[in-house]
Amino acid sequence: MNASRRFLIGLAAVAGVTLAWEIAGRTHLVEPLLLPPPSEIVTTAIDLARDGYRGTALWQHLALSLARALGAFAAATLVGVPLGLAMGAAPGFGAVLDPFVQFLRPLPKLALIPLVILWFGIGETSKVLLIFISAALSIIVGTAAAVSTVQRQRIRAGRALGAHGLALFRYVILPHILPELFVTLRLSFGIGWTTLIAAEMIASDAGIGWMVVNAGSYLRTDVVMLGIVILGGTGYALDLALVGLQRWAAPWSGRA
Amino acid sequence: MTTYIRAGRPGRRDVLRLGLGAGLLSLTAARSRAQTTTKPDVVRIGYLTAARAWVVGKSDGSFDKALGVKVEWVPFPSGGPALSLLAAKQIDFAIFGNTPIVAGLSRKLPIQILGSPEIVATSERLVAKAGITTLRDLEGKRIAVAPSSTMAFALEALIRINKLDASKIKRLPLSQPDTIAAWKRGDIDATYINGPFWAELLADGGQQLLVSEQLQPSGVFVWNSAVVRSEFAEQFPETVVAWLQTVQAQFDRYRSDPEGVSRILAKDFGAPFEAVRNTLSGLRYPTFQDQLGPKYWGDGPVAAKDAPLIKALGDAAAFLAETGEIKRDDVPASFVPAVNYALLRRAFPS
């Protein structure tokens, strides 16, 4: 199935679901309080774009959430990839860190909130840190796993051909792990993005994640749905950006 | 490769059948519940996950006995989730704060108010670090307050009444346990907080600046209302009457034996006895007979337009609309119809 056909089918599916949803709302098949129809969400979007939500413009909420998530993700990549590489390349080092990483990784990050507040306060540090932790741990595990799949023969062959140290990494290991590394980054970004809501529960008064939680406590389901659409759409767009980056950086993905 | 994956998946028809089946199942379930009988199969009561005097009837089955049906107790951490539970028809009754109730009514949540059995007096307090001795000192300071709570409402009212410069006071939305942590770290200067949390802050050198009761002369009331789902009240009015009388019986029990009730609740909630006793004594408990008088809702056949609590509901709505939590157009023109006086009068004839 070619790409444009896939896209069209996807588009038709979205349009179909949106239409059915609107009809269900209009005919009161579903209570609008429980699931506001798309038209109401559009109206709310226009209202909020004009007046802002709780004194902050809608784009500022999004910009703040993006800054928190992307900042944390960038830091997680910078820390996680080298650590993961080291863990994969040096099994002894990996064995030392592994129990800690595996213990922390599956922890629900909500459980960390009280400690994060005690240790790092209620400022931006705590919010970014929470996203950082969840993204970095997945990156470490994914990267280490990718490195461990490099076949011994390839490394031996590289060495036999005179490659050592950086050259071995650059021409043998990196090309092998890059596709998998991108998969790891995509998954980790998703995990980091889902932590946004937890992060923005710490003494926030702005951000899309906070908006969803706050609106929910006042039964503003229209604002909640709008927030979900924004969160989902932004996450989707950023994932597409990562896929684009992968095509550029590792065009051999899926072909080697 | 695609064909290989597809072979393992259920066919298109299977998925359709499954969806249809699930849809039909939920329809029949909804229909069987709609059958009108004089008594429901089960009554689901929502309660706050903090000790409240009337919840003493949970552990000994008082409600099951009085209502003559199976009773399920559904906990919620604050008013926001209570609204969601009511909207999803997961609970029939609940008692929680007037601010979220106003938000729910503005969103056309089909619920009715059944009086105000708990009035906040000293249970919510404004506590500040040593050195902050007057309200005026709060300007330029950071105050933590639980978001969408009655305390947040009281704090704004306090700023307005005392003509403090609102722009100079940084309000930090923090849950109450997190507030304690922030206080210990020195991240905040003051907080408007519920019991038993303030006890810890006062022990830590905190200064009490105000209790919510002191705002009442200025017309600022903070209270918990009993609410019922409108649909439930129409179907089972007798059950509502019995429930109200049972709630009052629990409050009577508390009045005659505050220590004993506190002890039972402390055990039930796994909280220290002292904390529970102090929290409970921080609320005032007007009887339903009192509530149906001029001091609260008015003594007519319906709630009075100028009754203090009807006015306070309007103030809370105005506050929520001003902060942008609810749409101004959504605020009902009058809160009088939201109070089910007919059932209140039937439960407590004058």
Side-chain angles (χ1 to χ4, degrees), chain B residues 36 58 74 141 150 162 192 221 236 256 259 288 342:
Chain B
T36 34
K58 173 163 86 78
V74 183
K141 298 293 195 298
T150 45
N162 291 283
Y192 210 124
F221 281 86
F236 312 110
S256 61
E259 302 269 318
F288 280 95

Side-chain angles (χ1 to χ4, degrees), chain A residues 39-92:
Chain A
S39 55
E40 192 188 332
I41 296 169
V42 170
T43 319
T44 305
I46 295 168
D47 280 354
L48 293 194
R50 195 186 50 222
D51 305 331
Y53 180 73
R54 290 284 313 272
T56 307
L58 193 57
W59 70 267
Q60 280 175 325
H61 284 296
L62 181 59
L64 194 61
S65 291
L66 273 175
R68 284 168 182 157
L70 290 177
F73 183 64
T77 308
L78 286 178
V79 172
V81 171
L83 257 181
L85 287 176
M87 282 174 72

Side-chain angles (χ1 to χ4, degrees), chain B residues 159-339:
Chain B
I159 291 171
R160 201 177 52 235
I161 291 165
N162 291 283
K163 300 196 175 62
L164 304 180
D165 188 345
S167 64
K168 282 198 199 141
I169 299 173
K170 173 108 179 120
R171 279 84 105 196
L172 287 166
L174 266 185
S175 78
Q176 304 196 95
D178 292 349
T179 300
I180 305 287
W183 173 284
K184 296 244 153 96
R185 277 179 47 87
D187 283 345
I188 55 170
D189 305 302
T191 176
Y192 210 124
I193 199 161
N194 213 331
F197 296 100
W198 43 251
E200 205 172 333
L201 303 183
L202 290 177
D204 197 44
Q207 284 266 344
Q208 181 178 309
L209 294 186
L210 182 116
V211 298
S212 288
E213 200 169 34
Q214 287 167 269
L215 296 170
Q216 283 176 8
S218 312
V220 178
F221 281 86
V222 175
W223 74 90
N224 296 325
S225 265
V227 298
V228 60
R229 281 194 305 116
S230 304
E231 196 190 352
F232 186 92
E234 274 154 35
Q235 276 180 311
F236 312 110
E238 291 313 318
T239 308
V240 178
V241 168
W243 183 79
L244 278 169
Q245 288 163 344
T246 315
V247 168
Q248 182 59 58
Q250 309 313 308
F251 283 122
D252 293 343
R253 189 173 156 193
Y254 171 73
R255 195 159 316 143
S256 61
D257 181 18
E259 302 269 318
V261 166
S262 302
R263 197 156 287 125
I264 294 172
L265 287 170
K267 214 172 134 202
D268 195 9
F269 283 81
F273 165 70
E274 289 280 315
V276 171
R277 192 186 54 186
N278 290 342
T279 308
L280 295 185
S281 66
L283 296 151
R284 302 281 171 264
Y285 305 100
T287 62
F288 280 95
Q289 253 98 6
D290 287 343
Q291 293 166 41
L292 304 179
K295 264 181 78 185
Y296 297 96
W297 298 96
D299 49 11
V302 295
K305 243 191 329 230
D306 53 355
L309 293 198
I310 288 287
K311 268 211 216 133
L313 283 175
D315 290 344
F319 162 71
L320 289 177
E322 202 173 307
T323 50
E325 299 290 13
I326 58 178
K327 294 186 211 165
R328 202 168 290 276
D329 299 343
D330 281 351
V331 176
S334 165
F335 282 99
V336 170
V339 188

